[in-house]
Amino acid sequence: MDQLQIKDLEIFAYHGLFPSEKELGQKFVVSAILSYDMTKAATDLDLTTSVHYGELCQLWTTWFQESTEDLIETVAYKLVERTFEAYPLVQEMKLELKKPWAPVHLPLDTCSVTIHRRKQRAFIALGSNMGDKQANLKQAIEKMRARGIHILKESSVLATEPWGGVEQDSFANQVVEVETWLPAPVLLETLLAIESEMGRVREVHWGPRLIDLDLLFVEDQILYTDDLILPHPYIAERLFVLESLQEIAPHFIHPTLKQPIRNLYNALKK
């Protein structure tokens, strides 16, 4: 992909763990590589499809100086986060933040941190069977948006019977396709935080829930950890999930089953 490189922007600011760093300040140096499609900017002279690097450097300087942080990791992360928010056309970003005057009292040239993030597409299943179910789904989607998760597509809302053998009210279910720069484990943490914020209490396994947010796919990633399994292990067993998926992404290939969603849906529907 096309790349814009900004190298060694110097900014004086007041970040650091020691009180003297927050009082006296010091020099920081920012470099970054931003990846995005430059075709329209190059051929149509359309500045709206480009990144104005002068304005971006000014934004970085403003963001950098408007607060103080203990760790340069925090500063670098926030720069990446706010750059993605300000420039939706950027698909990937690698940012290095140098601290050449680090107070280590040793012959050190510089220390730095580098954060590298790429936007990814993911699919999230939503469900609710308590209170105003459809309103709960809408609220969860708005909370995703508020956290910088871009909603690309929304399936229709389905009324479905409970899954898992627990007697309870019917569910309102849907699936959304999103774009996010958050790594899969962080995306899951974000979804769990939204559930908690909305008041979900986990008392009965597969029991009633105000809101349920399941991470189904993150592109073609295959993960198996104590906290996250990708793809979600029950996708091929849940007709309501496949029905919503095939509405918005019928040709998406399941990374482990190696079949398009429409085939999995048709097979389970029989």
Side-chain angles (χ1 to χ4, degrees):
M1 184 173 289
D2 308 322
Q3 295 181 334
L4 167 65
Q5 183 169 356
I6 297 173
K7 188 173 182 180
D8 294 340
L9 171 67
E10 295 186 7
I11 305 173
F12 194 90
Y14 297 84
H15 304 291
L17 192 60
F18 300 110
S20 60
E21 294 180 285
K22 288 186 169 61
E23 181 180 348
L24 301 175
Q26 60 192 295
K27 180 175 72 174
F28 297 86
V29 182
V30 181
S31 297
I33 298 175
L34 288 72
S35 300
Y36 60 95
D37 187 348
M38 298 181 180
T39 303
K40 287 189 69 63
T43 59
D44 298 346
L45 303 181
D46 185 355
L47 293 179
T48 63
T49 61
S50 180
V51 173
H52 190 314
Y53 46 82
E55 291 181 354
L56 178 57
C57 288
Q58 185 58 61
L59 283 173
W60 283 347
T61 302
T62 300
W63 297 337
F64 214 100
Q65 295 175 335
E66 68 185 11
S67 64
T68 61
E69 303 291 348
D70 290 345
L71 302 178
I72 58 174
E73 292 93 334
T74 304
V75 183
Y77 187 90
K78 287 185 174 182
L79 287 180
V80 171
E81 179 180 46
R82 296 183 74 168
T83 302
F84 274 128
E85 290 175 356
Y87 296 92
L89 62 97
V90 175
Q91 295 299 306
E92 187 172 356
M93 183 173 177
K94 183 177 182 180
L95 182 139
E96 181 184 21
L97 175 56
K98 297 178 183 177
K99 189 175 182 181
W101 297 348
V104 298
H105 308 297
L106 289 168
L108 173 71
D109 178 53
T110 189
C111 66
S112 70
V113 298
T114 299
I115 293 182
H116 187 185
R117 294 289 185 270
R118 178 177 64 87
K119 285 184 179 177
Q120 306 174 93
R121 292 196 171 195
F123 292 90
I124 299 166
L126 300 86
S128 175
N129 74 335
M130 297 174 65
D132 189 333
K133 304 169 191 176
Q134 294 209 24
N136 293 337
L137 300 185
K138 291 180 180 178
Q139 184 182 3
I141 289 173
E142 287 308 310
K143 287 185 177 293
M144 287 187 227
R145 286 195 177 102
R147 286 167 168 80
I149 300 171
H150 181 47
I151 309 298
L152 299 176
K153 294 180 183 177
E154 298 181 34
S155 76
S156 304
V157 177
L158 302 177
T160 64
E161 293 304 309
W163 192 94
V166 178
E167 289 191 13
Q168 56 190 303
D169 195 8
S170 62
F171 276 81
N173 287 105
Q174 72 177 139
V175 170
V176 295
E177 182 181 3
V178 306
E179 182 181 65
T180 178
W181 61 275
L182 299 175
V186 180
L187 177 57
L188 176 63
E189 290 176 6
T190 302
L191 298 179
L192 294 176
I194 291 173
E195 289 183 346
S196 178
E197 189 177 300
M198 290 183 61
R200 175 171 179 179
V201 178
R202 297 174 183 269
E203 294 179 335
V204 180
H205 188 49
W206 287 329
R209 64 212 77 167
L210 183 72
I211 190 66
D212 186 26
L213 302 174
D214 286 334
L215 186 54
L216 304 177
F217 300 109
V218 178
E219 295 196 341
D220 59 354
Q221 290 186 35
I222 300 173
L223 294 176
Y224 186 87
T225 70
D226 291 340
D227 300 315
L228 175 60
I229 300 175
L230 285 177
H232 192 288
Y234 298 116
I235 291 172
E237 301 174 32
R238 294 177 174 175
L239 186 61
F240 63 90
V241 172
L242 289 173
E243 183 173 352
S244 295
L245 277 169
Q246 69 86 31
E247 179 186 345
I248 61 175
H251 304 296
F252 181 82
I253 304 295
H254 193 295
T256 56
L257 300 179
K258 306 300 182 183
Q259 294 187 58
I261 292 300
R262 58 186 177 83
N263 287 7
L264 296 175
Y265 171 68
N266 290 331
L268 192 60
K269 189 174 63 171
K270 291 180 180 178

